[in-house]
Amino acid sequence: MTHFDDLETRSADAREADQTAALNAQIARVGGMDQVTSLADLAKLPVLRKSDLSARQKEQPPFGGMIATNLSHVFQSPGPIYEPGGSAHDWWRFGRFLAACGIDADDIIQNCFSYHLTPAGTMFENGARAVGAVVLPAGTGQTELQAQAAHDIGCTAYAGTPDYLKIILEKADEMGLPLKITKAAVSGGALFPSLRDFYADRGITCLQCYATADLGHIAYETTVGEGMIVDEGVIVEIVTPGTGDPVAEGEVGEVVVTSLNPDYPLIRFATGDLSAVMAGQSPCGRTNMRIKGWMGRADQTTKIKGMFVRPEQVAALVAKHDGMTRARVIADRAGETDVMSVQCEGDNLDAAAIAASLPAILKLNGDVAVVADNTIPRDGVVIEDRRTYDT
């Protein structure tokens, strides 16, 4: 299998050394943080959350005083949050994903990501340039015109959300237009197995990637069922939601990403998404860490008795009590009333003392149960809402 570059097959030691040097260069650019001696030292640095970024941007528009250089674009995401973009070679790092999809200079990509305000369309176009492919900047909507253009131009590849290609294919069938699309690079939605099978039955190989507007490309599939390989231009950590503390390998937690792009350094940026490290190396020969893909949202903020309870508060509860290693807040109903309980794991814990601390930390009273180790599932959930509203 052809790889995008030699970075994809580096040894673990070489990657560690290269990324530690690149991280220290980012720390020097940003300032205000100590240099690190290894990637393990990342856990000592503060986490930057989207809410923090939004607040900074309101105080100091457009980028909140963050370093943003060599720019060609400014984008707006809901919030609003503004993201910088560049047009340098593979600035967003999507070339690596497109190459894994088999897309190259012989392809014409129908790019059905939006070019309006949000960066997805530009991200994939920049990646297409990196692999030498021609782009039809199709954007979204106008499906009949999309099908006609795909036929007339002879598009061989598709970039867009997982489900929209099916709509184009079915419209082309309805119009009697044969299409030449055999490769699909998708993101921004759920790629259900049945949908992937639909494409496979039509001779289309469909792979997905994980990316955000702030960070660009983060991880990508190369082989179906083998997880997502972390991009070489970022460092990914999986941490307990609401904290910056790494979880054990294989355990579900929040995805925290450090971008090594010198034009827009983001160090320990919390995505709000849940995932887990996948053990072992990909059969494709790429050697970087793998994650299991998107597994839900880490922002589990829940309103109980009219008060918001946030993952950061649960983390503060754990930190408050010596010996406590894990806690889960459970929201439930007793008749028509909200109730809160807290499960806690750890050594020599005093349930009464923990309960007494709840009003100060969680702003609510609740029942506390000290449970045995490994009772609380390692699924990344720190606030569980068991309430139903259909009765």
Side-chain angles (χ1 to χ4, degrees), residues 6-355:
D6 292 339
L7 297 180
E8 295 182 334
T9 54
R10 285 181 288 183
S11 69
D13 288 344
R15 182 176 288 109
E16 166 89 13
D18 292 345
Q19 291 192 335
T20 299
L23 173 59
N24 278 325
Q26 295 290 67
I27 291 171
R29 290 183 184 97
V30 173
M33 290 179 278
D34 293 333
Q35 296 276 295
V36 302
T37 57
S38 71
L39 296 185
D41 291 338
L42 258 178
K44 301 175 183 177
L45 303 181
V47 170
L48 174 64
R49 300 194 172 277
K50 194 176 283 281
S51 57
D52 300 329
L53 190 57
S54 178
R56 289 187 187 188
Q57 290 188 357
K58 285 180 172 61
E59 294 174 0
Q60 197 173 348
F63 302 127
M66 306 286 286
I67 293 171
T69 58
N70 300 316
L71 304 185
S72 58
H73 296 78
V74 177
F75 300 98
Q76 184 196 74
S77 292
I81 290 179
Y82 296 95
E83 296 101 5
S87 56
H89 176 77
D90 208 25
W91 197 87
W92 303 98
R93 303 178 308 280
F94 278 84
R96 192 176 306 284
F97 172 48
L98 296 181
C101 293
I103 297 172
D104 57 25
D106 293 329
D107 286 299
I108 302 173
I109 303 177
Q110 186 159 351
N111 185 3
C112 294
F113 282 108
S114 174
Y115 282 79
H116 176 66
L117 285 179
T118 57
T122 303
M123 286 174 167
F124 274 82
E125 180 156 325
N126 183 257
R129 288 198 198 100
V131 297
V134 174
V135 175
L136 169 66
T140 58
Q142 297 182 300
T143 307
E144 187 170 317
L145 291 179
Q146 298 255 14
Q148 187 71 56
H151 168 75
D152 293 346
I153 295 170
C155 292
T156 56
Y158 164 88
T161 56
D163 57 343
Y164 190 51
L165 174 58
K166 183 174 186 287
I167 295 171
I168 293 174
L169 293 171
E170 290 174 339
K171 178 59 70 174
D173 291 345
E174 179 187 311
M175 297 170 67
L177 300 173
L179 301 185
K180 297 180 179 179
I181 295 173
T182 61
K183 306 164 188 176
V186 304
S187 192
L191 175 55
F192 298 106
S194 58
L195 184 57
R196 199 190 311 249
D197 290 344
F198 172 85
Y199 295 141
D201 289 343
R202 297 187 63 129
I204 299 171
T205 300
C206 182
L207 297 174
Q208 62 185 324
C209 77
Y210 169 43
T212 72
D214 316 274
L215 296 156
H217 186 236
I218 298 171
Y220 60 111
E221 285 186 320
T222 64
T223 308
V224 176
E226 293 291 342
M228 291 186 172
I229 300 170
V230 172
D231 184 81
E232 298 295 335
V234 296
I235 303 166
V236 168
E237 303 168 87
I238 308 294
V239 308
T240 302
T243 77
D245 302 329
V247 302
E249 183 174 287
E251 195 172 306
V252 179
E254 183 175 11
V255 179
V256 171
V257 181
T258 295
S259 169
L260 301 178
N261 181 350
D263 290 338
Y264 189 46
L266 288 177
I267 297 175
R268 301 203 84 199
F269 187 79
T271 64
D273 295 324
L274 293 176
S275 192
V277 172
M278 190 172 183
Q281 182 178 309
S282 172
C284 71
R286 293 170 177 85
T287 56
N288 207 353
M289 181 178 80
R290 295 183 296 170
I291 59 174
K292 294 182 179 179
W294 189 83
M295 300 177 70
R297 289 292 293 170
D299 184 6
Q300 300 154 28
T301 298
T302 303
K303 185 177 281 189
I304 307 172
K305 297 182 181 179
M307 298 294 293
F308 282 110
V309 179
R310 295 178 169 81
E312 293 88 341
Q313 292 169 284
V314 182
L317 179 69
V318 173
K320 170 74 173 177
H321 296 278
D322 291 341
M324 191 184 300
T325 56
R326 188 178 299 269
R328 175 177 291 202
V329 169
I330 299 170
D332 212 334
R333 287 173 63 186
E336 302 303 320
T337 303
D338 285 348
V339 293
M340 183 185 77
S341 61
V342 184
Q343 294 180 342
C344 305
E345 287 183 16
D347 296 327
N348 302 314
L349 298 181
D350 183 336
I354 297 169

